[in-house]
Amino acid sequence: MSTQATTAARGSDRRAQLVAAATTLFAERGYESVSVEDVAAAAGVTGPGVYRHFEDKQALLAEVVLAGVGHLEQRSAAALAPTDPDQVAAPAGGEVTALLAELVALAVARPAAAVVWRWTGGHLAPADQREVARRAHALLTTWGDVVRVQRPELSAADAELLCWAVMSVLGSTTVHRTRIGSARARDLLRAAGGRVLGVQPGAAAPTPPLPAPAWTPGSRREQILEASSRLFAERGYHAVGIDDIGAAVGIAGPSVYRHFPSKVSVLVAVCQRAAERLALGVLDALRVGRDAHDVLRRLVGSYVDALLVSPDLRVGMSTDRAAVTGADREGLRRNQRELVAHWVWALREVHPELAAADAAVLVHAGLTVANDLARTRSVAGRPGLRAELVALVLAVLDVPSAQA
């Protein structure tokens, strides 16, 4: 190999290392909380070394996102390519099974590929946003068409809902640190994805939207929290300034500091409110649940209600939480661990054959389905969304649906 070719190969390898490092960091922390220096350190290069390959962080993000979409496209094409040139049509369900197996394998091998493109697209340049949206829409359409071959009774919108839910099951591998063997992870996620694809959207009676609080917070502190929660959910924590928060409650921005020492302390308080709401739901489920099945259904129902009635939980489950550090971060993690522990306990009561780690993987997958779909615009307006979210989460957990 010539010196020039060797240099080009090394440059290509370094670029790939940077993309891999950035993919992991963006998925774990969120785009705004990751610096070029963070990516450089993770890839084992200096900060200036990144700029030899990418103009700026946004250009690096574009390659990360498009690479993730590309991996999904490649795996989909591999799954749907006919293996027999004389084959006229795939056996019923065969394409769905093959597609799910390929996507699960990708999720286990490249966890961030299934999520980065969904939650960082707003930071892309407009041309890159359009390209990602075009390719993502084509993927979802292809997957929905495959599902509808097996389930022709589904509408295109219903099939899309199920495909989004499967994507969330796959993307859940990035939101927790539970470690199990790759083969076992593939088995669990493939089975959970299959159950999701068997859900009948709209089977439960549509429930009216949960009402927003009819009261106006009396204290200025609560007014600030209400406004901040809404703004953080709509724009993201980093895009909201103190002046924005102040304007939303009719005060000057610096006046917010009379009630909170910093913007991050406002974020912490929003997350704590969400945790308190969830804790009340857990206590209620444990108090009135008739058995483990009923407790688990109530846990799922109360979680979905918390997601839909207030933006607090959507903020608390987003990557914006990475802005919280030190003891506050540990407190939020402890709240989440306690919530997961209750779900894991109930799930193992229902399925005693599950190891604790296996149950935790399924619980995180179910929570991710609810978290993701509650903020996915293409499905958020469905009239029966509350019942559908409950049914989808219960399907992930392999628990029969009932009124939650």
Side-chain angles (χ1 to χ4, degrees), residues 319-354:
T319 54
D320 287 339
R321 263 181 37 166
V324 181
T325 59
D328 288 329
R329 175 184 288 186
E330 182 52 37
L332 297 181
R333 286 177 173 171
R334 183 170 57 251
N335 292 337
Q336 186 174 19
R337 286 195 297 268
E338 290 174 355
L339 173 73
V340 170
H342 286 297
W343 284 50
V344 167
W345 167 82
L347 182 57
R348 295 187 73 200
E349 287 292 306
V350 173
H351 291 294
E353 73 280 5
L354 286 176

Side-chain angles (χ1 to χ4, degrees), residues 161-195:
L161 172 72
L162 299 185
C163 290
W164 276 121
V166 169
M167 280 297 296
S168 295
V169 170
L170 305 183
S172 68
T173 55
T174 66
V175 303
H176 62 87
R177 298 179 180 179
T178 305
R179 294 294 175 259
I180 60 176
S182 295
R184 182 56 176 159
R186 287 193 295 269
D187 289 344
L188 287 171
L189 296 178
R190 188 164 52 241
R195 292 191 295 270

Side-chain angles (χ1 to χ4, degrees), residues 25 29 34-48 50-51 57:
L25 292 174
R29 305 184 197 172
V34 176
S35 68
V36 168
E37 288 70 25
D38 293 330
V39 175
V45 303
T46 63
V50 176
Y51 294 108
K57 190 174 76 163

Side-chain angles (χ1 to χ4, degrees), residues 3-4 47 54 164 183 221 235 255 263 274 282 307 348 376:
T3 302
Q4 185 177 6
F54 299 97
W164 276 121
R221 186 178 190 278
R235 305 182 196 173
S255 296
K263 191 179 77 161
V282 168
L307 274 172
R348 295 187 73 200
T376 298

Side-chain angles (χ1 to χ4, degrees), residues 151-399:
R151 298 190 58 190
E153 79 280 7
L154 293 177
S155 68
D158 288 347
E160 179 185 1
L161 172 72
L162 299 185
C163 290
W164 276 121
V166 169
M167 280 297 296
S168 295
V169 170
L170 305 183
S172 68
T173 55
T174 66
V175 303
H176 62 87
R177 298 179 180 179
T178 305
R179 294 294 175 259
I180 60 176
S182 295
R184 182 56 176 159
R186 287 193 295 269
D187 289 344
L188 287 171
L189 296 178
R190 188 164 52 241
R195 292 191 295 270
V196 164
L197 292 176
V199 169
Q200 181 60 57
T207 52
L210 293 167
W215 51 272
T216 300
S219 74
R220 183 68 76 189
R221 186 178 190 278
E222 284 301 311
Q223 291 173 8
I224 291 170
L225 287 179
E226 284 291 309
S228 299
S229 179
R230 175 176 51 80
L231 291 171
F232 293 158
E234 290 174 355
R235 305 182 196 173
Y237 170 79
H238 293 280
V240 176
I242 283 293
D243 288 340
D244 298 321
I245 296 171
V249 295
I251 61 176
S255 296
V256 172
Y257 295 127
R258 297 176 183 172
H259 306 275
F260 296 92
S262 64
K263 191 179 77 161
V264 74
S265 68
V266 179
L267 175 61
V268 170
V270 168
C271 294
Q272 288 175 336
R273 284 204 321 179
E276 290 165 1
R277 183 177 284 112
L278 292 177
L280 289 175
V282 168
L283 289 175
D284 185 65
L286 295 174
R287 179 176 59 85
V288 303
R290 297 183 299 275
D291 53 29
H293 287 79
D294 191 38
V295 167
L296 198 49
R297 294 187 190 106
R298 290 177 182 276
L299 288 174
V300 174
S302 66
Y303 189 88
V304 170
D305 286 345
L307 274 172
L308 299 181
V309 77
S310 165
D312 286 1
L313 184 54
R314 278 170 277 156
V315 172
M317 293 296 105
S318 73
T319 54
D320 287 339
R321 263 181 37 166
V324 181
T325 59
D328 288 329
R329 175 184 288 186
E330 182 52 37
L332 297 181
R333 286 177 173 171
R334 183 170 57 251
N335 292 337
Q336 186 174 19
R337 286 195 297 268
E338 290 174 355
L339 173 73
V340 170
H342 286 297
W343 284 50
V344 167
W345 167 82
L347 182 57
R348 295 187 73 200
E349 287 292 306
V350 173
H351 291 294
E353 73 280 5
L354 286 176
D358 293 351
V361 167
L362 291 178
V363 165
H364 281 291
L367 291 170
T368 303
V369 167
N371 294 336
D372 284 0
L373 295 188
R375 57 183 181 178
T376 298
R377 292 180 180 178
S378 61
V379 303
R382 294 175 64 92
L385 183 62
R386 192 269 179 187
E388 290 171 339
L389 288 182
V390 170
L392 288 166
V393 175
L394 290 174
V396 172
L397 302 178
D398 197 13
V399 175

